[in-house]
Amino acid sequence: MKDQIDRPGDGRLVHAPADHPPVARPRIGILVANLGTPDGYDYWPMRRYLSEFLSDKRVIDYPSWKWQPLLQLIILSKRPFTSGANYRSIWNHEEGESPLMTITKAQVAKLREAAAARFGDGVMVEFCMRYGNPSTASVVRRMVAAGCEKILFLPLYPQYAGATSATANDEFFRALMDEKRQPAVRTTPEYFDHPLYIEALAQSVERAYAGLDQKPDVLVASYHGMPKRYLMEGDPYHCQCQKTSRLLRERLGWGEGAIDTTFQSVFGPEEWLRPYTVEHVAELAKAGKKRIAVISPAFSADCIETLEEIQGEIREAFEHAGGESFTYIPCLNDDDAHIAALMAVITDNLSGWIARQM
């Protein structure tokens, strides 16, 4: 054990022969993962990204012989143009990247600072994307090369779903298959009911409402959708979304009916979880609810689904139906309360691996 820990500055083990390859100082890695982003909004970057995403069996589980010809020959001949236009409308042109990438970098910068303060310099914090870059495999390789003998993997999805948390874990485990010396690993469970996560959501609502002249008639909690069939097959996502809304309502001290739970981003011919956000906000407007606010508790960072879909299609549906005031409450992003919640999840899951610095 002494040989494994006591390493000189040049990367050699103390008692190793002169020709032994350099060995990095042992560290603990924290790897956070988000969905992903295209490298650009032109046709080919969009096509590569969409092909990877829509070929994931966790996302669309149709038989390949049936789905791939439809995807490659029809869907991907047109969709990269429309999706690219949507991305272009929200693109961070100054940094040359999507808002999701910009926000994730900011989140990780704060997590690095918090981890260093709490655990010292023996911890490495990085991020990867399930689809696109930086790929999970490339970041795992870099962390192992940097000496990470233990890695905690944190998918940035508060609620568990097979199409988000599970596929991120799948990709992480696939990356480990290529490592000669696999690190010890842990994956974090969903954290939708963590008190600090709920507190961060509640604070974001309170801040938004404090800046309004008149309180909205209803708060719509819009979660990413999934086929209803997945719920019937055992995916807990729907139930966890419902509980998130309830816990948020209780923390805010509001009565029943003050928060509506809906689902967005419907794709394909199947029935998805209902009610659909785009239809529900129109129904609210027609029913006389002229002022609404929308929050997206399933997204850890603002992205195409929030910046373009909610503030575009969903807002337009509400206003077209007679709605007068539409307030979008941003995702938690790199808000300090969000970082505190993530650090609490990280600390809980590092138990036994590392001691907090005093």
Side-chain angles (χ1 to χ4, degrees), residues 7-307:
R7 300 168 181 172
D10 61 3
R12 291 181 295 104
L13 296 173
V14 171
H15 299 293
D19 61 351
H20 194 285
V23 178
R25 179 171 65 91
R27 309 170 79 181
I28 291 176
I30 300 168
L31 178 56
V32 299
N34 214 324
L35 181 74
T37 172
D39 294 327
Y41 49 75
D42 292 334
Y43 177 82
W44 286 110
M46 284 303 313
R47 181 174 179 122
R48 285 193 296 271
Y49 174 75
L50 290 172
S51 180
E52 183 181 11
F53 174 48
L54 296 176
S55 295
D56 186 347
K57 286 286 191 177
R58 291 278 195 179
V59 176
I60 298 178
D61 61 357
Y62 300 152
S64 296
W65 65 266
K66 179 187 295 186
W67 173 242
Q68 282 299 319
L70 176 64
L71 174 64
Q72 300 297 332
L73 299 178
I74 299 176
I75 295 174
L76 292 181
S77 66
K78 299 178 180 180
R79 186 154 179 173
F81 292 108
T82 55
S83 295
N86 292 337
Y87 267 97
R88 183 168 58 249
S89 70
I90 66 166
W91 201 254
N92 182 346
H93 294 279
E94 183 177 344
E95 297 295 330
E97 61 193 19
S98 73
L100 176 66
M101 180 66 76
T102 303
I103 294 166
T104 303
K105 288 178 178 178
Q107 290 172 326
V108 171
K110 286 191 173 183
L111 286 173
R112 282 195 187 110
E113 183 178 354
R118 183 168 300 182
F119 305 122
D121 62 358
V123 170
M124 180 180 186
V125 182
E126 296 292 335
F127 77 94
C128 65
M129 299 295 185
R130 170 60 184 89
Y131 314 105
N133 296 305
S135 69
T136 304
S138 67
V139 180
V140 168
R141 176 83 287 278
R142 176 155 45 87
M143 295 179 79
V144 171
C148 291
E149 297 180 349
K150 299 175 181 177
I151 297 179
L152 175 67
F153 186 68
L154 169 59
L156 289 174
Y157 307 111
Q159 299 81 17
Y160 174 94
T164 55
S165 309
T167 190
N169 288 336
D170 290 345
E171 192 70 4
F172 177 55
F173 294 134
R174 276 191 289 266
L176 295 173
M177 292 172 64
D178 292 331
E179 295 303 319
K180 295 292 186 189
R181 169 66 163 90
Q182 287 185 331
V185 300
R186 292 176 179 173
T187 60
T188 62
E190 58 271 23
Y191 54 93
F192 70 98
D193 56 354
H194 195 288
L196 290 185
Y197 163 69
I198 298 298
E199 180 63 25
L201 285 178
Q203 288 181 17
S204 72
V205 173
E206 290 169 341
R207 282 195 304 271
Y209 276 38
L212 300 175
D213 294 333
Q214 187 175 344
K215 182 180 177 181
D217 299 316
V218 64
L219 174 63
V220 176
S222 180
Y223 299 82
H224 199 288
M226 69 163 53
K228 182 179 178 180
R229 172 171 55 87
Y230 292 9
L231 165 65
M232 307 312 293
E233 291 172 350
D235 195 301
Y237 178 72
H238 177 266
C239 299
Q240 293 182 1
C241 292
Q242 295 286 353
K243 187 172 181 180
T244 299
S245 295
R246 176 177 63 80
L247 292 174
L248 174 59
R249 178 179 59 78
E250 291 173 352
R251 159 58 182 80
L252 290 168
W254 296 354
E256 293 190 19
I259 299 179
D260 290 351
T261 297
T262 64
F263 300 90
Q264 64 183 85
S265 307
V266 177
F267 176 81
E270 285 191 76
E271 180 181 2
W272 283 40
L273 298 177
R274 291 182 178 270
Y276 300 154
T277 304
V278 68
E279 295 177 357
H280 187 73
V281 297
E283 292 168 358
L284 288 174
K286 293 174 183 177
K289 305 291 187 181
K290 302 299 185 181
R291 305 176 63 87
I292 68 170
V294 179
I295 191 171
S296 301
F299 297 97
S300 63
D302 276 305
C303 54
I304 192 73
E305 287 85 358
T306 64
L307 298 175

